[in-house]
Amino acid sequence: MKTVNLFLVAVLSFSVIFTSCEKEEVEPVRTETPEPGTTDDEDNANNGGGTTTPPNNGGGTPGNGGSVPPWVNSPAADARLTSVGMTAWGYDAQKRLNFYDSYNANDDYRVIYEGNQAVRMEFATGHYLVYEWEGGKVTAARTYAQDGLEINWFRFEYSGDKLVKKIKSSWYPNYIRGWLTVSEYNYDEKGNLSQATIRHAQSDKFEDLGQPSIITWGDYDDKINPRPAAESDLYLPGVTMFVNNPGFRNAGSKELFSYTYHESGLPYQRFDKVEGYEHVPAITNTYEYQ
């Protein structure tokens, strides 16, 4: 049982890389090299069914299989999510995202605004990103090292208000994962991310892109997903990829998610399992709000 538990923790810890829309790529100044396709959150939604009944955790709230402790106040429906597990978010006086902090210190960044527009991201490692806006959307961005050397660029394509393609090209000397990454996104009828198709090239040429890695999400509930669309290397203002909360994520191994909810409808806890290991106790993540 100990070996199985360790396996479950390892798989779920690895998968968190993309769950927040979750982190599609490592930050370019790192030297570790995750496997391609294990990026940050897509059709198969059944709009509120699937795996949204959590394991028996000693409660009995009708309809969700678990209970929210009576001493935990229900946040307002428009409350801002401040933390889930080892990821935290902060907001300014206008309730805009201005801080992201994950389990790795290299991920931490602040978002800088001028007027009503985000103009810059400043990372804890000293590098920074500058947004390029067009028609009310971020269509491009460039990341610079502390000395002003440009180390990568992004291009973004949209269909209406939905992000459908993200292109990233990198040339930082110690960035050993690959120079070009193209990610394409599909959504279900409710606007939830259903599939991400990710290809990598060890060059700056599109013709060198390799075979795709595919990640799918589904079995969404009908509750609001409070997680900001923030990743380790990028925050895209105004972009929503998860309207509701997914019941599974499949990136080769299928992770099953179930929830309990506050009276306001916001998630209180999420329970994570790996398909085939349902007998192993779930990993529990508690949502905190302000």
Side-chain angles (χ1 to χ4, degrees):
M1 180 60 73
K2 181 177 180 181
T3 301
V4 173
N5 273 290
L6 289 173
F7 172 79
L8 175 61
V9 171
V11 171
L12 289 171
S13 298
F14 183 69
S15 71
V16 79
I17 295 175
F18 199 88
T19 301
S20 87
C21 176
E22 278 132 273
K23 301 181 180 178
E24 179 169 301
E25 302 177 54
V26 295
E27 215 294 313
V29 298
R30 298 183 197 163
T31 56
E32 64 267 30
T33 309
E35 290 298 319
T38 60
T39 63
D40 184 287
D41 311 87
E42 290 179 12
D43 178 317
N44 303 329
N46 65 8
N47 303 320
T51 58
T52 57
T53 299
N56 186 351
N57 63 344
T61 299
N64 68 11
S67 63
V68 176
W71 61 85
V72 177
N73 294 327
S74 177
D78 61 350
R80 294 293 189 269
L81 182 67
T82 57
S83 69
V84 178
M86 294 182 289
T87 302
W89 301 270
Y91 307 87
D92 64 15
Q94 287 74 45
K95 297 184 177 181
R96 302 174 301 193
L97 182 79
N98 70 350
F99 178 71
Y100 172 93
D101 179 9
S102 80
Y103 53 90
N104 189 319
N106 285 351
D107 290 334
D108 300 356
Y109 59 72
R110 294 189 176 276
V111 182
I112 310 302
Y113 295 85
E114 290 183 2
N116 295 321
Q117 197 169 81
V119 295
R120 181 182 174 105
M121 292 171 54
E122 295 183 350
F123 291 82
T125 49
H127 63 288
Y128 58 95
L129 175 145
V130 177
Y131 292 108
E132 297 178 19
W133 290 78
E134 183 178 334
K137 294 183 176 68
V138 175
T139 56
R142 297 180 184 274
T143 306
Y144 300 87
Q146 289 176 286
D147 60 3
L149 173 68
E150 184 177 343
I151 56 180
N152 59 48
W153 57 256
F154 297 88
R155 296 287 184 272
F156 308 103
E157 297 180 12
Y158 300 85
S159 176
D161 63 349
K162 287 297 182 183
L163 177 69
V164 294
K165 183 180 286 189
K166 170 184 170 182
I167 303 170
K168 180 180 180 180
S169 183
S170 305
W171 48 85
Y172 192 80
N174 293 330
Y175 187 50
I176 61 176
R177 183 178 178 185
W179 289 350
L180 184 65
T181 301
V182 177
S183 304
E184 297 181 87
Y185 306 107
N186 295 312
Y187 301 84
D188 66 17
E189 67 279 2
K190 288 197 171 183
N192 288 303
L193 190 60
S194 59
Q195 181 172 293
T197 303
I198 303 135
R199 295 188 295 164
H200 303 272
Q202 293 288 327
S203 74
D204 58 355
K205 297 179 175 59
F206 288 92
E207 57 266 30
D208 292 338
L209 289 169
Q211 293 298 310
S213 298
I214 297 176
I215 305 172
T216 60
W217 290 256
D219 281 359
Y220 283 93
D221 62 16
D222 58 357
K223 307 293 193 300
I224 294 298
N225 187 328
R227 298 174 67 105
E231 306 176 27
S232 62
D233 62 352
L234 187 70
Y235 166 59
L236 275 179
V239 169
T240 300
M241 303 181 83
F242 297 89
V243 177
N244 307 117
N245 304 284
F248 74 81
R249 174 186 182 273
N250 193 342
S253 60
K254 191 173 184 179
E255 303 150 59
L256 308 175
F257 309 132
S258 53
Y259 306 82
T260 57
Y261 305 92
H262 289 287
E263 290 181 4
S264 61
L266 291 172
Y268 167 59
Q269 288 183 321
R270 191 180 86 177
F271 306 90
D272 298 2
K273 286 177 171 285
V274 175
E275 189 174 57
Y277 292 85
E278 289 84 353
H279 59 289
V280 179
I283 292 175
T284 303
N285 291 288
T286 299
Y287 291 62
E288 297 184 3
Y289 300 88
Q290 70 176 25

